[in-house]
Amino acid sequence: MAKTVKTNELTEVSEAQIAVHWKEEEYYQPSEKFKAQANLRDPRIFEKFGLDKFPDCFKTYADMLTWFEPYHTVLDVSNAPFWKWFVGGKINASYNCVDRNLAKYGSKAAFIFVPEPEGERDVVITYQELHTRVNEVAALLRGLGLKAGDRVTLHMPMVPELPVTMLACARLGVIHSQVFGGFSGQACGSRIQDSGSRVLITMDSYWRNGTLGDHKANADIAVRAAKELGQDVDKVLVWQRYPGKYSATTPMVAGRDVFVNDLLKEHRGKKVDPVPLPGEAPLFLMYSSGTTGKPKGAQHGIAGYLSYVTATSTWVLDIHPDDVYWCMADIGWITGHSYIVYGPLANAATSVLYEGVPTFPDAGRPWRIAERLGVNIFHTAPTAIRMLRKLGPQEPRKYKYHFKSMTTVGEPIEPEAWRWYYDEVGKGEAVITDTWWMTETGGFLATTVPAIHAMKPGSCGPAAPGIHPVIYDETGVEVPKGSGRAGNICIRNPWPGIMQTIWGDPDRYVKTYYGKYNKNPRSKDWRDWPFMCGDGAVQAADGYYRILGRIDDVINVAGHRLGTKEIESACLTVPEVAEAAVVPVQDEVKGRVPEVYIAVKPGVQASQDVIDRVIKANEEVIGKIARPKHVYIVPDMPKTRSGKIMRRVLAAISNRRDVGDVTTLANPDVVEQIRIMVQGKDKVTATQGELPEDIAKYGQVE
């Protein structure tokens, strides 16, 4: 730990900027032991990836892959902003993740599958076994007539059959679209329709919180929903959680549904040569998880995407072939695609694949798994960190695991939660990479390179090699670093991991990500196409970025745009508070004021004292402008099955409007408890049309 940086003074800010009141945090240094073994420890890497070396610097990434035919163009800008990377080459993602590892690592574990029931044994899948299984499933898919360019929708849980199926698709050039297993059948159906899939691959059941749920029921709903939208599904392939036994109660549909396990018997031992595909061919679609609007399918290409996640897995996650790596994300999200399947396998990693929730049967489960399997790289989201801290703040001390590095991903992490992660989970030994990126970017955009940079709680760090961010205000003027002012963070240049387009909607792609700051729609110069990420950010004098959350998730209080993340962070400085969520409420005088929901740690009693200290913390950390209208201590936050707090539900309750469909939440019953706490027994709801757009859309990421 080195120094403390001076607190930024707050001055009046214009409507176009987000007020920033966070104090700068102290630095934490990586250990000499970690630096000595790291894959990347030369700080000159950032010179080699300077804008003056763009785009040829990314040849280094392409060189990490194995090509069937060499590419001739690093970056094709002829149809800007539809970037094409490593054009002219032929490649296959399945070959790079499986086949090329066989000679040296064939007998090494690719995946260690940990079922949720603790009584069930782990399943170790070696690279040789993975190769066999991927080939057999590829043969099965080919036997159904699937070929390069076709789309297949997967609606599967965290089981080995999911990466096997993805890699089998990639082997043939079939574009896979995996829908998070916790999503409803309706959500799956809309994605089937949008992608034009005629085949749905699912599973009969899986374990979640101690229950073996009927997942097949969702397939029937999905097929019906897709048909209503105009898309027919010819085949539903159903994996069995326990091969040879059907664990769902929903009946199979004759002629349409077929058990994968039965079909595989015809393809035992078959080999399928990986299809050499153009580097710029699509690899997969990943749909946004929005609750409203038409889902948007981010299309990622083979060579650019695969090279980017391979390089960042090596340099940022610091994966070596002899490490045991555990990313607790779900493969249904981009993190799981990039940093459970494609990046780690391309680096011959051994990955832990865990079926269930991290808190089942108790908050010690992750640490027992880590201890038993010798996990030394740990990767999870702030949501999970806060949840584990809430339920078992002392739990990690009971177990003898040792992490060399830990990653946090998915949203900004508050300094208080960061310090618990560092001190308790990492035992003061592990480095932390606080990564910032999103579905559309394929891989990390801003992060410390762990052996090169000091860590700073609450800041994701500088930009990753080859990424050149800029922060613009609403008018397109650059916000200088160290100014204490925030704006919209954009990336000046394309990079290999960037999405290629929105599937079937190129106009929406241009409008959403480039429309705001592009000055010349006809330009073929990449410099004219800054990529707008959709997040607010501030850059400190040291160059580190602090992400303030989605641009839409700001609260405009008396002309000051307050980032909700910093209000939540202030709440977490009160020791009794485990989780916090902030929503905007209409106010006659100030326009909008924040309303705060908090959940306290186990054993802590709800009290006016806690509420008073939460209010005081906001006034001290941010200022009286951030004083909450109300603070509610709730029994639990309404959460998705992946653990994300549904702020839109809380915003609906605070603003007296209908909460909408909450059946897909992990804990739908808590919504009515909170509603009665806030509104009283009588239900008074405003219609959507009576609410200003910013409140009506709050928390609804498209």
Side-chain angles (χ1 to χ4, degrees):
M1 289 181 261
K3 57 181 180 176
T4 301
V5 185
K6 192 182 79 170
T7 301
N8 286 326
E9 294 297 319
L10 172 70
T11 55
E12 283 291 310
V13 293
S14 75
E15 175 74 18
Q17 295 149 358
I18 301 167
V20 180
H21 313 78
W22 256 317
K23 71 182 179 66
E24 290 294 332
E25 300 285 340
E26 58 192 344
Y27 295 99
Y28 291 66
Q29 300 295 341
S31 69
E32 293 303 318
K33 181 183 175 185
F34 178 85
K35 289 196 279 189
Q37 62 81 60
N39 284 321
L40 180 59
R41 44 187 188 265
D42 183 357
R44 290 175 298 179
I45 191 72
F46 290 92
E47 294 166 33
K48 294 174 183 172
F49 279 79
L51 265 184
D52 57 331
K53 312 286 197 314
F54 179 85
D56 285 354
C57 55
F58 283 114
K59 286 179 179 176
T60 305
Y61 285 20
D63 289 348
M64 294 184 187
L65 304 179
T66 303
W67 294 80
F68 295 134
E69 292 177 25
Y71 61 90
H72 55 66
T73 303
V74 177
L75 173 62
D76 179 350
V77 297
S78 61
N79 189 26
F82 301 91
W83 317 111
K84 291 181 181 175
W85 284 91
F86 309 125
V87 178
K90 292 289 177 71
I91 195 166
N92 186 282
S94 183
Y95 180 89
N96 275 275
C97 290
V98 185
D99 304 55
R100 71 170 181 165
N101 294 325
L102 295 180
K104 194 170 180 184
Y105 301 110
S107 60
K108 187 175 93 75
F111 287 113
I112 304 170
F113 172 60
V114 180
E116 188 187 75
E118 255 183 302
E120 290 190 19
R121 296 176 61 175
D122 301 337
V123 179
V124 176
I125 300 170
T126 65
Y127 274 94
Q128 189 62 61
E129 289 164 338
L130 183 63
H131 181 259
T132 300
R133 294 184 66 176
V134 166
N135 272 275
E136 290 173 351
V137 176
L140 183 159
L141 296 175
R142 189 174 61 182
L144 292 173
L146 290 165
K147 60 190 185 307
D150 290 341
R151 280 81 59 208
V152 167
T153 296
L154 320 179
H155 193 201
M156 294 183 65
M158 284 289 286
V159 289
E161 289 81 359
L162 175 50
V164 165
T165 305
M166 290 165 62
L167 292 162
C169 289
R171 200 165 191 83
L172 301 171
V174 171
I175 302 165
H176 61 76
S177 168
Q178 156 68 3
V179 178
F180 171 55
F183 274 175
S184 66
Q186 194 76 30
C188 180
S190 67
R191 286 152 176 77
I192 289 172
Q193 184 275 326
D194 189 79
S195 64
S197 298
R198 301 188 74 87
V199 174
L200 169 63
I201 305 179
T202 188
M203 189 159 233
D204 60 356
S205 61
Y206 64 97
W207 289 97
R208 199 82 184 169
N209 264 326
T211 301
L212 186 64
D214 181 350
H215 188 56
K216 167 63 167 61
N218 289 312
D220 292 4
I221 297 167
V223 171
R224 191 164 59 245
K227 188 174 182 65
E228 286 169 3
L229 293 167
Q231 178 64 34
D232 287 327
V233 173
D234 301 329
K235 280 279 176 239
V236 176
L237 306 184
V238 183
W239 285 97
Q240 290 171 316
R241 174 63 179 80
Y242 296 98
K245 175 187 167 191
Y246 189 46
S247 300
T249 54
T250 305
M252 298 283 280
V253 176
R256 185 198 75 185
D257 301 351
V258 60
F259 289 124
V260 178
N261 307 78
D262 290 345
L263 211 49
L264 273 175
K265 292 169 187 169
E266 302 166 24
H267 302 282
R268 289 277 175 249
K270 282 189 182 172
K271 295 281 190 291
V272 174
D273 290 335
V275 177
L277 297 156
E280 69 275 18
L283 176 60
F284 66 86
L285 306 179
M286 169 61 67
Y287 281 87
S288 60
S289 58
T291 53
T292 60
K294 187 172 184 279
K296 56 177 192 278
Q299 175 185 314
H300 283 285
I302 301 171
Y305 170 82
L306 187 61
S307 70
Y308 198 76
V309 297
T310 300
T312 47
S313 293
T314 305
W315 288 357
V316 177
L317 297 177
D318 198 54
I319 293 175
H320 301 65
D322 57 351
D323 290 320
V324 178
Y325 164 77
W326 183 13
C327 176
M328 265 197 343
D330 194 290
I331 296 172
W333 307 114
I334 189 68
T335 299
H337 276 49
S338 298
Y339 299 119
I340 296 178
V341 181
Y342 288 109
L345 291 178
N347 281 288
T350 292
S351 280
V352 175
L353 195 66
Y354 175 53
E355 177 180 31
V357 294
T359 53
F360 184 86
D362 55 66
R365 185 70 188 277
W367 322 129
R368 289 197 291 278
I369 292 171
E371 180 182 83
R372 187 177 81 247
L373 299 180
V375 173
N376 67 338
I377 305 177
F378 187 68
H379 188 162
T380 193
T383 298
I385 294 165
R386 289 191 293 267
M387 194 158 51
L388 290 162
R389 174 176 175 248
K390 173 185 173 185
L391 296 176
Q394 311 292 318
E395 281 294 311
R397 296 181 184 183
K398 300 175 185 175
Y399 302 95
K400 294 186 174 66
Y401 65 82
H402 289 282
F403 297 150
K404 71 168 184 176
S405 69
M406 308 190 303
T407 298
T408 168
V409 63
E411 59 180 314
I413 181 168
E414 305 84 358
E416 289 302 310
W418 190 101
R419 278 187 279 269
W420 179 81
Y421 194 39
Y422 183 83
D423 293 334
E424 297 295 335
V425 180
K427 302 180 180 179
E429 302 169 345
V431 295
I432 294 178
T433 45
D434 177 359
T435 61
W436 168 70
W437 59 299
M438 56 204 67
T439 300
E440 297 89 338
T441 74
F444 306 140
L445 291 183
T447 172
T448 51
V449 174
I452 295 175
H453 301 115
M455 301 160 271
K456 193 166 71 167
S459 296
C460 57
I467 302 297
H468 298 276
V470 58
I471 297 175
Y472 289 125
D473 70 12
E474 288 294 304
T475 64
V477 174
E478 188 170 336
V479 178
K481 71 178 182 181
S483 65
R485 292 186 289 121
N488 302 330
I489 188 166
C490 303
I491 311 299
R492 297 179 191 272
N493 59 301
W495 62 96
I498 195 171
M499 67 192 294
Q500 297 177 309
T501 186
I502 293 174
W503 178 263
D505 202 343
D507 292 343
R508 187 180 184 190
Y509 165 75
V510 175
K511 182 182 175 186
T512 303
Y513 301 102
Y514 299 98
K516 191 174 182 75
Y517 294 116
N518 170 255
K519 302 288 192 293
N520 178 7
R522 293 193 182 86
S523 175
K524 300 198 185 312
D525 186 336
W526 58 264
R527 295 168 189 81
D528 291 328
W529 295 96
F531 179 87
M532 182 166 147
C533 301
D535 278 333
V538 61
Q539 189 182 23
D542 60 9
Y544 282 37
Y545 293 93
R546 196 155 200 168
I547 307 300
L548 306 179
R550 303 300 292 170
I551 291 166
D552 295 338
D553 289 357
V554 297
I555 301 177
N556 195 330
V557 183
H560 291 68
R561 296 177 77 219
L562 300 177
T564 53
K565 206 70 208 168
E566 62 175 342
I567 300 175
E568 292 172 2
S569 185
C571 296
L572 287 181
T573 63
V574 177
E576 292 85 351
V577 175
E579 296 176 302
V582 177
V583 300
V585 179
Q586 284 182 279
D587 183 85
E588 285 183 15
V589 178
K590 296 179 179 176
R592 306 285 178 273
V593 288
E595 208 155 79
V596 169
Y597 292 83
I598 58 171
V600 292
K601 293 174 183 172
V604 174
Q605 293 297 313
S607 68
Q608 188 61 42
D609 175 60
V610 172
I611 290 172
D612 291 343
R613 283 187 289 123
V614 165
I615 293 169
K616 187 181 178 195
N618 275 284
E619 292 183 345
E620 288 180 351
V621 173
I622 300 173
K624 290 203 183 318
I625 192 77
R627 181 185 173 90
K629 184 173 185 178
H630 294 109
V631 176
Y632 298 105
I633 301 179
V634 296
D636 194 10
M637 299 288 185
K639 287 174 184 162
T640 64
R641 288 168 68 185
S642 62
K644 182 182 176 186
I645 297 172
M646 289 301 283
R647 288 167 178 81
R648 71 166 180 87
V649 171
L650 297 173
I653 290 171
S654 279
N655 288 282
R656 306 296 196 273
R657 71 177 169 89
D658 186 43
V659 296
D661 180 18
V662 296
T663 55
T664 57
L665 295 184
N667 53 352
D669 296 345
V670 82
V671 175
E672 182 61 9
Q673 294 176 47
I674 297 172
R675 192 198 67 73
I676 291 171
M677 180 187 296
V678 175
Q679 299 178 358
K681 285 209 162 43
D682 297 331
K683 213 169 190 175
V684 187
T685 55
T687 63
Q688 195 80 6
E690 293 170 0
L691 286 169
E693 189 178 25
D694 63 313
I695 291 180
K697 287 188 172 179
Y698 184 81
Q700 298 184 342
V701 178
E702 192 187 33

